Amino acid sequence: MSMSTDMRRKLPIGIQNFEFLRSEGYLYIDKTALIYRLVTKGKPYFLSRPRRFGKSLLLSTLEAYFKGKKELFKGLAIEQLEQNWYEYPVLHLSLNAEKYDSRERLEKMLELQLEKWEEMYGVDKGTMTYSGRFSTVIRRACEQTGRRVVVLVDEYDKPMLQTFDNPDLQEDFRKTLTAFYTVLKDADPYLQFVFITGVTKFAQMGIFSTLNQLNDISLDLEYNTLCGMTCAEIEATFASELQALAAQAGITYAQAVEQLTRRYDGYRFTPEKEFTPMYNPFSVLNALAKSRFDDYWFASGTPTFLVEMLKRTDFDLRQLDGIEVSSASLTDDRANLANPVPMIYQSGYLTIKSYDNEFREYTLSFPNEEVKYGFLNFAAPFYTPVSSTDTSFYIGKFVRELRSGDIEAFLNRLTCFFADFPYELNVKTERHYQVVFYLVFKLMGQFTQAEVRTAKGRADAVVKTADYIYVFEFKLNGTAKEALKQIDEKGYLLPYTADGRQVVKVGVAFDAEKRNLGEWLIE
């Protein structure tokens, strides 16, 4: 295939319909061997994955398979595996599209869906409840077709996720949906296959508490690669797009893969050691289609409710990078405002970095640079005086000053930065200021090597530019002189003595009265 025709290959960005994808000639990463394993090994499944990770396409693929559309699977693994291609009645319910801000919205959505099915299978709704109608449709579909029914539910938790700020409405939704989903337990004899997806698990929000027969495969090694892309899949399917991306960025093919990895890889959906790290499919497809690295997944939906949760719980942002949690809390029963971490994990802003089998403890961290910097940039305005549009502007100025060796200008800007805090923030604790320092230095890492202290025995912050290495020590209760002394006595400079760059020590005292930087000394 020549490069010019190659360049016009169709990448399935945001395409969630398998039939459309296949009949219109879009590229597809073949997941059908795993799908065959799913359909032959079990019946009721639950899968939690972050948004834009291919859950809807997976359900659409299952639908095409169960409708017996063999022609769509030509050339895919399942074509060889499946002999029968029976056609089953499929009830596909998606809660994805709507904005659920009132009881009527959810009811209207369920009403439309039920009416469509009732028309299809000749059911008279009479005066039945939603759950009564759902139950009747399942039974009638089975009787009419002589085959058991397949039920696919996409984004089951969308109405719940949109109502965190309205507990009464959330409870109302929970009751309605619980009654609706519970039908699946009693209808079991009429069901061939059930697959439910969502972002959150929360013993499924209490919604599926009665559906205890669901097989939750969210953390199964076997299905770790069911949604998302592996490095091998990307290189095998998109070689020419990778070459175009490298050419556009003026880097080598290997560097392009490395940058793709740094920015979009790093998801791990299982505690087992022999996992394959997964790339975010939405970001990868966008970067390849546009031949440009950018924060695609992050920009496609902002985690406002998460940051609101963090603020309400006075959560220390610094803990997110490398936080340890018990395995029980990761599959927590309730969407718990006091413990936002499971929610942040399930939403895709944190991922599993390691698992301690003995103590049943996960270490979580940001999966990659897109998520880390996206999240911190997004959080910055909630903790600092800058607006979201100004964050990178501010950070860019900080970096330029350090690159040019103008540490005075940097510290003066930092002082102005703190002085701009709205009055209500000024009653904040010392920890609030530590979080702000953390954000400033962490965000500088987008442009230059910056480390913020996470372990004892390290300086508060270290920033490396082409010509300088800055070692910062901030004293909340002490003098600038003591800060410099600590840099010397604790040997913070030792790792950098052999480095050819100029090492600059910066000791800063914090003025509790002014709630700002006080004096500083530079050596």
Side-chain angles (χ1 to χ4, degrees):
M1 199 183 271
S2 79
M3 195 64 179
S4 58
T5 53
D6 230 2
M7 289 306 287
R8 285 198 297 276
R9 300 198 308 168
K10 293 157 98 169
L11 273 58
I13 298 174
I15 291 177
Q16 301 178 346
N17 185 302
F18 182 71
E19 185 163 355
F20 181 83
L21 182 146
R22 294 291 287 168
S23 53
E24 295 294 321
Y26 283 86
L27 293 176
Y28 173 69
I29 287 180
D30 188 355
K31 301 281 184 183
T32 60
L34 275 179
I35 286 171
Y36 184 73
R37 191 186 297 174
L38 266 180
V39 298
T40 48
K41 278 185 73 168
K43 175 174 179 177
Y45 290 103
F46 173 74
L47 177 71
S48 146
R49 284 292 181 268
R51 63 187 171 75
R52 301 261 171 173
F53 245 85
K55 299 187 295 291
S56 302
L57 178 60
L58 173 66
L59 286 194
S60 176
T61 311
L62 283 163
E63 179 173 13
Y65 164 80
F66 278 112
K67 284 186 171 170
K69 298 188 174 179
K70 185 179 177 178
E71 72 285 356
L72 295 177
F73 294 89
K74 200 166 168 42
L76 300 179
I78 203 167
E79 189 191 20
Q80 310 300 318
L81 298 166
E82 180 57 79
Q83 303 306 309
N84 301 317
W85 295 97
Y86 295 133
E87 189 181 339
Y88 295 90
V90 178
L91 304 179
H92 188 162
L93 171 70
S94 172
L95 290 118
N96 207 354
E98 276 294 330
K99 189 165 172 47
Y100 297 102
D101 49 11
S102 68
R103 186 179 183 157
E104 293 72 45
R105 277 285 175 79
L106 179 61
E107 289 177 346
K108 189 176 135 208
M109 211 281 313
L110 292 174
E111 186 63 52
L112 282 170
Q113 194 67 71
L114 285 162
E115 279 175 358
K116 198 174 86 183
W117 293 336
E118 284 160 346
E119 200 177 311
M120 210 186 299
Y121 298 108
V123 175
D124 173 23
K125 68 180 179 189
T127 56
M128 290 186 288
T129 59
Y130 292 136
S131 31
R133 290 164 67 185
F134 187 31
S135 180
T136 308
V137 166
I138 291 173
R139 200 181 68 242
R140 190 67 61 82
C142 183
E143 289 163 358
Q144 275 190 24
T145 60
R147 290 209 183 278
R148 284 191 293 264
V149 179
V150 171
V151 175
L152 307 171
V153 182
D154 196 14
E155 305 285 359
Y156 87 93
D157 51 354
K158 192 72 171 276
M160 314 294 293
L161 288 177
Q162 288 186 359
T163 46
F164 265 105
D165 52 348
N166 186 341
D168 294 343
L169 185 58
Q170 191 178 53
E171 183 53 25
D172 198 45
F173 283 170
R174 200 182 66 76
K175 284 187 182 137
T176 305
L177 290 172
T178 302
F180 195 78
Y181 295 141
T182 301
V183 166
L184 297 172
K185 181 143 189 166
D186 299 329
D188 193 63
Y190 302 103
L191 296 171
Q192 175 69 24
F193 185 81
V194 174
F195 200 100
I196 298 173
T197 74
V199 167
T200 52
K201 196 170 153 267
F202 299 126
Q204 292 93 356
M205 292 268 191
I207 285 181
F208 298 145
S209 45
T210 47
L211 273 185
N212 44 15
Q213 84 276 28
L214 275 181
N215 175 11
D216 181 0
I217 57 170
S218 308
L219 289 171
D220 288 13
L221 177 63
E222 200 174 358
Y223 299 114
N224 175 53
T225 62
L226 188 58
C227 290
M229 299 174 176
T230 67
C231 193
E233 286 170 338
I234 293 169
E235 290 205 58
T237 313
F238 305 112
S240 57
E241 285 78 12
L242 274 168
Q243 276 157 355
L245 177 66
Q248 189 63 36
I251 53 181
T252 65
Y253 177 88
Q255 286 170 325
V257 173
E258 188 270 330
Q259 197 168 152
L260 211 63
T261 302
R262 210 175 59 236
R263 292 181 87 124
Y264 310 130
D265 190 21
Y267 291 90
R268 172 176 170 181
F269 300 116
T270 177
E272 316 310 337
K273 284 192 170 67
E274 52 280 5
F275 72 98
T276 308
M278 299 304 293
Y279 288 70
N280 186 320
F282 186 74
S283 293
V284 169
L285 287 173
N286 271 286
L288 293 173
K290 302 181 197 327
S291 292
R292 191 176 69 244
F293 293 105
D294 214 333
D295 294 344
Y296 298 105
W297 179 78
F298 203 89
S300 72
T302 42
T304 317
F305 75 98
L306 287 180
V307 178
E308 284 298 341
M309 269 170 96
L310 292 176
K311 274 178 64 188
R312 240 185 290 175
T313 55
D314 196 25
F315 188 85
D316 189 340
L317 260 190
R318 295 172 299 169
Q319 290 178 4
L320 282 183
D321 215 351
I323 191 166
E324 291 173 352
V325 297
S326 71
S327 65
S329 91
L330 210 53
T331 51
D332 209 356
D333 282 33
R334 295 277 168 267
N336 182 351
L337 280 176
N339 177 19
V341 174
M343 190 81 173
I344 300 172
Y345 160 74
Q346 287 164 2
S347 306
Y349 298 101
L350 291 175
T351 197
I352 297 167
K353 285 298 171 189
S354 62
Y355 179 64
D356 183 322
N357 212 2
E358 184 185 0
F359 299 110
R360 303 185 49 122
E361 197 172 69
Y362 288 98
T363 301
L364 306 177
S365 202
F366 296 119
N368 51 42
E369 289 191 358
E370 174 183 28
V371 176
K372 174 164 74 176
Y373 295 126
F375 191 85
L376 294 176
N377 268 314
F378 184 77
F382 291 85
Y383 291 87
T384 68
V386 300
S387 73
S388 51
T389 45
D390 285 347
T391 312
S392 48
F393 169 77
Y394 253 99
I395 298 298
K397 287 230 183 304
F398 283 138
V399 171
R400 279 198 196 99
E401 283 154 359
L402 291 184
R403 277 182 187 156
S404 65
D406 197 346
I407 181 74
E408 285 284 342
F410 171 84
L411 290 165
N412 280 318
R413 184 178 302 281
L414 200 54
T415 307
C416 300
F417 190 74
F418 278 116
D420 276 351
F421 270 72
Y423 177 74
E424 63 272 17
L425 277 184
N426 277 334
V427 297
K428 289 278 168 122
T429 57
E430 280 179 2
R431 197 185 74 192
H432 180 82
Y433 288 89
Q434 290 170 331
V435 168
V436 175
F437 279 128
Y438 170 83
L439 275 169
V440 168
F441 283 99
K442 203 78 181 159
L443 286 170
M444 284 201 286
Q446 293 166 97
F447 310 104
T448 187
Q449 223 186 325
E451 298 158 22
V452 190
R453 185 176 79 168
T454 46
K456 294 233 183 303
R458 300 252 298 277
D460 283 337
V462 176
V463 179
K464 299 175 185 174
T465 68
D467 304 311
Y468 301 95
I469 295 177
Y470 297 96
V471 179
F472 290 90
E473 189 61 33
F474 294 96
K475 277 277 173 233
L476 283 162
N477 307 304
T479 64
K481 203 170 171 180
E482 286 167 1
L484 280 184
K485 197 172 153 200
Q486 185 168 328
I487 293 176
D488 292 334
E489 284 179 356
K490 296 272 171 82
Y492 293 159
L493 298 183
L494 286 175
Y496 314 113
T497 43
D499 195 294
R501 288 173 278 193
Q502 188 179 338
V503 180
V504 182
K505 295 187 290 189
V506 188
V508 184
F510 188 77
D511 185 327
E513 227 157 84
K514 284 200 310 204
R515 295 210 165 265
N516 207 322
L517 305 192
E519 45 150 13
W520 58 70
L521 290 169
I522 300 158
E523 260 182 31

